[in-house]
Amino acid sequence: MTLTERKNAAISRGVGMTTQIYADRAENAEIWDKEGNRYIDFASGIAVVNTGHRHPRVIAAVKEQLDRFTHTCHQVVPYESYVHLAERLNAIVPGDFAKKTIFVTTGAEAVENAVKIARAATGRSAIIAFGGGFHGRTFMGMALTGKVAPYKIGFGPMPGDVFHAPFPVPLHGVSVEQSLATLKKLFAADVDPQRVAAIILEPVQGEGGFYPAPSAFMKALREICDQQGILLIADEVQTGFARTGKMFAMDHHEVAADLVTMAKSLAGGFPLAAVTGRAEIMDAPGPGGLGGTYGGNPLGIAAAHAVLDVIADEGLCDRANQLGSRLKQRLESLRDKVPEIADIRGPGFMNAVEFNDATTKLPSADFANKVRLIALDKGLILLTCGVHGNVIRFLSPITIQDGVFSEALDILEASLLQASASR
């Protein structure tokens, strides 16, 4: 049996797979499969290895921790490295106020806990999220996520007291003013703002299509939250840790969130997630109300310390801006030759290109997937996203070597030209 046949026989079909590449080894921005084929990785495990596959300092930190202990459960026998990492996050997460942190294991778990904390702190229950947002595959995560297929189909009723407003995407006819007006209508028709515990959003939508939240929108949300006693939650699971050219995407705005969720690239490939927020809000749940057996696993904590050191010492925020600029310039140079390109966007190195049909000007998931498959055949791993499935997002490690990056850009250009010529 082939590996794919074995996979089909052994693993639930609900676990979707973008490629049929079975990884054998990986280094920085390159992956080799079981047959020895080499690929340039522009997915990074969905923004998990911003510091590259197997960064030497991350691996060294984990090996050192392996020789000491691998698990005690921090709630039973705590350890200093957990405390120190909390101190570091409290210092760098945006917001000029005292903060506290908890560690969990996944991004969805971080979101779940942020909702728990918000409800405990406010005594309210309702949560407002946005269309196109993605917040996880747990039941609360699904309820908050603003995309039905494939995340909500067949899973029955979602948790209640979750409401959605449109996210401002001018390309799709939704302005900041329209989004805010809909939010006000929501308060008038569906939920009393005095019953809303929190508003949650991604500063740059991830799975929804890499649409950045305009600063005017973020400022207006902050004002609404302050007026109504609502907490603002920034879901930085995909945007955090230098991806947008700053440590956090909220650093691009003049306002701060009350709670910030993070995961993915926090620990450079090891499972670790966190919630950081205002100290008094984080202290709202009673002892035992937060936690988890594997939350803040020592190996993930050790990796995260190394990740923060690498980001600072290797200047990865500046590097993200440089790489993103090169990528967007190359894409811009192809607009005349590839009429399917509808938009090129994204801060730092959290970039995307959106495609419309060259004739109808309607979103074209077919074209995006065609580009992805051609690029894969040429050795470049790409991911699609977006409510319409017509966006390719670029999530290469920020540590990618210049030569490998240039090679990837050449493959991307050839793939776009080939896909457009075959329409």
Side-chain angles (χ1 to χ4, degrees):
M1 293 176 69
T2 66
L3 266 175
T4 297
E5 289 170 337
R6 288 168 56 194
K7 183 270 294 183
N8 291 340
I11 298 173
S12 166
R13 71 188 184 102
V15 182
M17 291 172 56
T18 301
T19 76
Q20 294 298 316
I21 297 168
Y22 288 84
D24 181 61
R25 62 186 178 93
E27 199 77 25
N28 200 356
E30 298 167 279
I31 293 176
W32 287 264
D33 70 9
K34 298 291 289 185
E35 284 72 45
N37 301 305
R38 168 186 172 266
Y39 296 88
I40 301 174
D41 185 9
F42 263 43
S44 296
I46 315 182
V48 167
V49 287
N50 286 359
T51 51
H53 292 281
R54 302 184 66 254
H55 192 288
R57 294 176 69 176
V58 174
I59 298 302
V62 173
K63 285 182 176 179
E64 181 180 353
Q65 182 60 48
L66 272 171
D67 288 335
R68 301 180 71 86
F69 61 93
T70 62
H71 177 76
T72 65
C73 184
H74 183 78
Q75 295 123 259
V76 179
V77 178
Y79 29 97
E80 187 273 341
S81 57
Y82 184 117
V83 176
H84 185 205
L85 185 60
E87 292 170 337
R88 295 182 75 176
L89 291 183
N90 293 342
I92 64 174
V93 166
D96 187 18
F97 41 78
K99 307 183 197 77
K100 290 190 176 183
T101 291
I102 64 164
F103 292 107
V104 287
T105 309
T106 68
E109 196 180 354
V111 168
E112 293 266 353
N113 277 275
V115 170
K116 287 170 59 177
I117 293 164
R119 285 177 167 173
T122 62
R124 305 174 179 186
S125 60
I127 309 292
I128 295 174
F130 291 91
F134 180 81
H135 301 287
R137 290 180 174 87
T138 55
F139 267 97
M140 178 55 74
M142 285 191 293
L144 295 170
T145 292
K147 183 177 178 180
V148 172
Y151 305 114
K152 302 185 184 185
I153 293 176
F155 296 119
M158 298 292 119
D161 255 1
V162 173
F163 302 86
H164 287 88
F167 193 81
V169 181
L171 184 67
H172 294 288
V174 182
S175 67
V176 169
E177 293 74 19
Q178 289 170 321
S179 183
L180 293 172
T182 303
L183 188 59
K184 291 179 181 178
K185 289 180 181 178
L186 194 66
F187 288 151
D190 292 301
V191 60
D192 180 357
Q194 296 301 306
R195 198 162 60 76
V196 177
I199 295 175
I200 185 170
L201 80 162
E202 300 161 284
V204 181
Q205 289 198 329
E207 165 63 13
F210 276 37
Y211 300 107
S215 287
F217 183 66
M218 197 68 75
K219 182 179 179 181
L221 287 182
R222 180 71 271 176
E223 291 173 354
I224 290 169
C225 287
D226 291 342
Q227 290 167 3
Q228 302 291 348
I230 298 170
L231 301 183
L232 183 62
I233 302 173
D235 183 340
E236 294 252 20
V237 168
Q238 190 163 166
T239 56
F241 303 99
R243 176 54 59 182
T244 67
K246 293 183 180 290
M247 184 61 79
F248 294 96
M250 286 301 293
D251 284 318
H252 291 275
H253 303 289
E254 296 179 356
V255 298
D258 300 295
L259 297 167
V260 175
T261 64
M262 62 203 88
K264 289 192 181 287
S265 57
L266 168 59
F270 291 84
L272 185 68
V275 182
T276 298
R278 293 181 182 271
E280 67 275 15
I281 293 171
M282 294 294 294
D283 275 345
L290 304 175
T293 302
Y294 291 104
N297 175 270
L299 301 180
I301 293 284
H305 279 292
V307 164
L308 294 182
D309 292 341
V310 168
I311 290 172
D313 295 346
E314 297 187 14
L316 293 192
C317 288
D318 288 340
R319 175 72 171 163
N321 287 319
Q322 294 164 8
L323 292 170
S325 178
R326 285 181 60 189
L327 172 60
K328 287 183 282 190
Q329 286 176 13
R330 177 67 75 94
L331 290 169
E332 289 288 355
S333 73
L334 296 171
R335 277 190 184 269
D336 291 340
K337 297 178 181 178
V338 185
E340 290 84 359
I341 294 177
D343 193 32
I344 299 162
R345 58 178 174 270
F349 201 26
M350 189 170 180
N351 311 130
V353 56
E354 182 160 351
F355 301 108
N356 287 346
D357 184 273
T359 303
T360 67
K361 304 303 180 183
L362 295 174
S364 179
D366 288 343
F367 187 83
N369 195 51
K370 184 185 295 185
V371 173
R372 182 187 70 81
L373 291 174
I374 292 172
L376 185 64
D377 189 58
K378 297 177 184 294
L380 176 63
I381 300 171
L382 299 174
L383 292 175
T384 58
C385 66
V387 173
H388 303 288
N390 66 323
V391 177
I392 287 179
R393 51 179 160 172
F394 302 99
L395 289 169
S396 157
I398 305 171
T399 52
I400 187 171
Q401 310 96 310
D402 283 335
V404 176
F405 187 59
S406 295
E407 181 185 355
L409 292 185
D410 289 343
I411 293 173
L412 177 62
E413 177 172 338
S415 301
L416 286 164
L417 293 173
Q418 183 177 331
S420 186
S422 65
R423 67 181 185 273

